[in-house]
Amino acid sequence: MLTTDFPTGAPCWIDLGSPDIPATAEFYRKVFGWTFQSAGPEAGGYGFFQLNGRTVGAVGPLDEGDQPTWTTYFRTADVAATAEAAEQAGGSVLVPPMDVMGEGWFAQFADPQGARFAVWQAGKTTGLDVVSEDGALVWAELHTADPAAGFGFYQALFGWRVENFEPAPGMAYRVISTAEGDQQATGFGGIAPTMQAGQPSAWTPYFAADDVDAVIAKATAAGGSVLMPAESVPNVGRLAWLADPHGTPFALIKGEPREQS
């Protein structure tokens, strides 16, 4: 389960590149009740999504040529060492390690299959204020054309462990957990094959939703779209995939992402 202890290798932050920050903030306000708090004039438009005064994510200007997307950040104890390990394992450094105004150190990468992600070495900011609650990040999922190679890359970086899980007959899924602690208790995400041939590899955040169908209704009313309709998956829960008005994918889930006996 994802917690705000944020051990090494766990998701600790998410942010979104947007071509229209006010419109994006308004959409997520209508969907999750998030409010937008600017990080200040020196932050270049970057700001925080908050739920009841607690940070659940962030948003900033979209880099030229990029597609709107959520970026998942993983905790690292040494951002420079992780950057070196990423290159040695066949990844690409998109943004080299840099200090973020004393809050911590950041770098952004692409894995060998092209999925983008970032790492965070804590300074004054450890990570998000709240996770695993309604309207907050609860799961991170990688869809990739080569799940075995995808896991191998991240294992080299973070020491992740994996447990094969078959939520339904013929449905292959890898549950990933941090290097230390009880393996099931520290599970925070999964790796699965891409849903369609030729689909780019990517990380997608799941937000907890007490009522998935009600959130879908709010999202579509606010201009979002449904990528995968709500479905109740045995041993998993009720889930759906949506996109915001700029086409940014995200997912919803009710209950634990994995409920094995």
Side-chain angles (χ1 to χ4, degrees):
M1 179 179 177
L2 186 59
T3 71
T4 52
D5 292 339
F6 301 128
T8 296
C12 62
W13 193 261
I14 51 171
D15 62 16
L16 170 61
S18 169
D20 187 336
I21 291 173
T24 294
E26 179 64 10
F27 171 79
Y28 287 100
R29 183 191 68 79
K30 291 178 178 178
V31 175
F32 294 119
W34 295 352
T35 57
F36 175 76
Q37 178 68 46
S38 172
E42 70 279 5
Y46 194 87
F48 309 111
F49 287 129
Q50 296 188 325
L51 184 62
N52 300 321
R54 300 180 297 171
T55 298
V56 293
V59 61
L62 186 67
D63 292 336
E64 186 174 352
D66 279 353
Q67 295 294 318
T69 186
W70 281 100
T71 298
T72 302
Y73 291 59
F74 299 97
R75 178 76 177 271
T76 180
D78 187 331
V79 67
T82 302
E84 183 177 348
E87 288 191 302
Q88 290 177 348
S92 304
V93 178
L94 304 179
V95 179
M98 58 179 292
D99 174 66
V100 184
M101 298 181 288
E103 298 297 330
W105 294 265
F106 149 85
Q108 188 180 50
F109 310 105
D111 70 20
Q113 283 74 45
R116 294 189 178 195
F117 67 101
V119 297
W120 181 256
Q121 180 182 337
K124 291 186 288 185
T125 295
T126 302
L128 301 171
D129 291 334
V130 59
V131 296
S132 300
E133 294 183 13
D134 188 39
L137 180 69
V138 69
W139 196 250
E141 191 168 86
L142 173 64
H143 284 253
T144 177
D146 191 338
F151 171 72
F153 170 80
Y154 293 97
Q155 186 181 42
L157 265 60
F158 303 119
W160 286 353
R161 294 168 291 174
V162 66
E163 183 178 359
N164 292 324
F165 175 48
E166 190 172 316
M171 185 182 294
Y173 196 80
R174 289 171 167 84
V175 176
I176 46 179
S177 59
T178 56
E180 303 293 335
D182 178 86
Q183 187 165 351
Q184 289 201 6
T186 58
F188 63 80
I191 300 177
T194 48
M195 297 179 185
Q196 299 173 352
Q199 179 182 354
S201 297
W203 283 96
T204 300
Y206 278 68
F207 300 108
D210 286 342
D211 187 333
V212 168
D213 297 86
V215 176
I216 292 172
K218 291 178 182 178
T220 54
S225 55
V226 177
L227 302 179
M228 185 184 81
E231 180 180 4
S232 295
V233 179
N235 304 313
V236 175
R238 191 159 180 80
L239 54 86
W241 277 53
L242 307 176
D244 69 21
H246 298 298
T248 314
F250 63 98
L252 308 171
I253 190 165
K254 175 178 173 58
E256 291 294 325
R258 180 182 59 166
E259 296 178 349
Q260 287 183 279
S261 58

